[in-house]
Amino acid sequence: MLRLGSRTLAVVLRRQSDIARWSSSAASSSHHPNAPLDLDPAFQALLRDVEMSLQNKSKAGVSLPRELELFPHDPEAEVEYLTSEELDAQDEDLDQRELRKSPAAHFGSQRIGAIVLPLEMASSIGRMVASSDKPTLHQDAKRLFFGEGASGAEWDSSYDVKYKSPRDAGKHSLRDATAFATVALPAHYSAIYAVLDHTKRRLGPEWQVQRVIDWGAATGSALWASSHAFRVHTDERAPSDVTDAQISQSSLGSYIGIDKREGLVRIGKRLLRDVEQGNLDVSWQKSFHEDNVVDRTSGSRVLAMSAFLMSSLPTPVERKTLVREMWDSGAEVMILIDHDFEIVAEAREQFLKLGRMELDDPSTSDQSIRGSHVVAPCPHDGACPLYQPGAGNIVCSFSQRLQRPDFIRKTKHSGIGHENMDYSYVVIRRGSRPAPATTRVGRIGDVGRRELAKQAEAAALVPRLMIDGENRVLTGEHNDETMAQKLSDPIEGAKSLSSSELSAVLRQEAYSWPRLVFPPLKRSGHIILDGCTAQGQIMRMTIPKSQGKQPFYDARKSDWGDIFPHEPKNKPQVRSQLWPGAGPTSQSGQDIGKRRRKGPKSRKTSYSELSEDIKEQRRDQRRARRLSEEYANHTVS
């Protein structure tokens, strides 16, 4: 007991000495600003264990170079550094190798994405909005462009304002023009720029415009769009990237804006007040003059355009007069854009009729360019299969997305950052329509090349069975000529053509490619495309997977408004439009669209109705069984 007590006393004394040492160290360091903490020994041991584990883990991992750490350099090693031009060329080659779509499909789907207003244009409109009364501007914009549409109350960029007297025009025209420039000008700009960009791609770099004559100039939407579409120095960025575009960079020499609406013209001039115009000569006039007519020989550099004016003209006579003035201007290319498809279709027919009359006129035989043809969107010069005056609800229209600037969102009191501009258009060019191309190039992209490579690899691994008398010998040979003929691309001639030559050939072929006038119906095993074809008919083309990976991929990536280069595997179906009062079509299911037919409505099947039908059938069966049993008992008795 005494020995145990001495040991216990020794432990107690040692603990007291430790406590005294800890307290003395804490007291001696208490005068420091960051005195060490008085931690429990068990917790200190735990911290040491954690620190050791972290150190061991860092030693086992791979050490990464620190920031700004120099790597070892061998001065004797021969390293060839590429210049910026060589790097850009290497990137372009890489993009071409990794291009999944075929070159032809890529050419047919070269549509620009959402358009962002150029900074110069947005700043000019923003300054005008900043100096205006915001509540009044919102009320004017809502009065002019907000109303009941097909899908309820919505914003519409169409403008058709008639004033009762000159006094009302002087009082409201400037306010209405300010609202027009805030709401409608950006939307019209996006549609016009999209059409001009597509026309440039279709006509090629040879089409250079020096002069633009614009009927219905309004606040200058076509002026801004044409000056940005035709620029002196264009970079390799996306066509929709016009944020840095300026009017002073335009390659245009002159612009003539024709419009009688004084308020819109005043706002258009105001937007150009603080803008550097460079070498561009801008003039405004109320009507088309005879001295504005150019000779046919120099008409190739003149563009006649009318955007969103035809639907505001009250009578068909005025619309025909406008088309006639555009034809008599001498411009080789004429572009008409509007909200109303029927008006555009009527103008298209008039342009083609004027071209046919010119071909039949002997007095014009000495002219170098005679006639007219449609460049876009139609692949033919015949009657429009969708045009039926006053009867058709199906139209040939297209859509362009615009990223709304800040002043549009504030004026409309909307938080949506984009809007879609629907429009119809036609591009007419003087001269006869080019003959159908006999070549078919650019139909294979990266997807098709990989498919051919896999087929060639699989064919090389399959041995051919040789029969020699009664003995069968397996050999690793294969028929090189047969496989080369099978796997070679009979329509791929793009490898021997340069980029410019390939584009020229595709532009020639694109005149006969069908235009997709409706969104594609995409299924897992096939793609259904409704397109306006060179035969002047709406045809439904089905592209199945069995046709090949490349055509199926191109069809799956196609979109509304594209021109599709691949021919369908099976014969396409001709679609016809059901007119009001007309009888049923010759073949069931051959009508265009998915409109609801008049007649008895098909009853939708539900689970409750199926349950009631099953119960009724069971009751009938029990009733029949009971009657048969009663009849049998009655017969036996």
Side-chain angles (χ1 to χ4, degrees), residues 190-327:
S190 64
I192 297 172
Y193 184 85
V195 173
L196 290 176
D197 180 77
H198 182 71
T199 306
K200 286 177 56 181
R201 296 180 185 274
R202 291 295 305 275
L203 298 182
E206 297 81 11
W207 184 51
Q208 299 292 333
V209 177
Q210 294 291 333
R211 185 181 186 184
V212 175
I213 306 176
D214 182 19
W215 281 263
T219 55
S221 54
L223 167 62
W224 290 93
S226 59
S227 61
H228 294 161
F230 302 100
R231 284 180 284 174
V232 178
H233 302 290
T234 56
D235 49 20
E236 298 297 331
R237 294 179 296 177
S240 59
D241 189 7
V242 292
T243 53
D244 296 333
Q246 299 178 3
I247 292 183
S248 59
Q249 301 173 350
S250 176
S251 61
L252 298 177
S254 63
Y255 169 86
I256 300 176
I258 303 173
D259 206 315
K260 298 180 180 180
R261 298 168 291 186
E262 187 64 28
L264 297 178
V265 173
R266 289 176 59 185
I267 293 298
K269 293 179 180 179
R270 179 180 176 181
L271 294 177
L272 296 175
R273 185 181 304 168
D274 300 329
V275 175
E276 177 63 32
Q277 301 179 12
N279 298 326
L280 179 60
D281 181 22
V282 180
S283 61
W284 308 79
Q285 55 193 45
K286 294 184 178 181
S287 61
F288 182 72
H289 303 156
E290 293 184 359
D291 56 353
N292 300 135
V293 179
V294 296
D295 188 71
R296 291 288 184 90
T297 57
S298 59
S300 59
R301 296 183 175 272
V302 180
L303 171 63
M305 175 184 295
S306 178
F308 306 104
L309 175 65
M310 294 282 287
S311 56
S312 63
L313 299 179
T315 62
V317 176
E318 296 185 36
R319 293 194 286 268
K320 291 182 179 180
T321 303
L322 173 59
V323 173
R324 185 69 190 192
E325 288 183 354
M326 295 178 65
W327 178 266

Side-chain angles (χ1 to χ4, degrees), residues 83-101:
T83 62
S84 59
E85 293 79 5
E86 293 174 343
L87 288 173
D88 294 340
Q90 190 180 51
D91 293 339
E92 291 178 1
D93 295 339
L94 182 62
D95 294 338
Q96 291 177 2
R97 291 196 302 267
E98 295 181 351
L99 184 63
R100 297 177 61 84
K101 297 180 69 173

Side-chain angles (χ1 to χ4, degrees), residues 51-72:
E51 184 178 3
M52 292 177 61
S53 62
L54 292 177
Q55 291 178 356
N56 295 333
K57 184 176 180 181
S58 61
K59 292 179 180 180
V62 179
S63 60
L64 298 177
R66 296 188 300 272
E67 185 178 3
L68 299 180
E69 182 176 330
L70 296 178
F71 285 92

Side-chain angles (χ1 to χ4, degrees), residues 22 24-39 44:
W22 295 338
S24 61
S25 62
S28 60
S29 59
S30 60
H31 63 278
H32 295 288
N34 295 325
L37 299 177
D38 188 8
L39 300 178
Q44 290 181 356

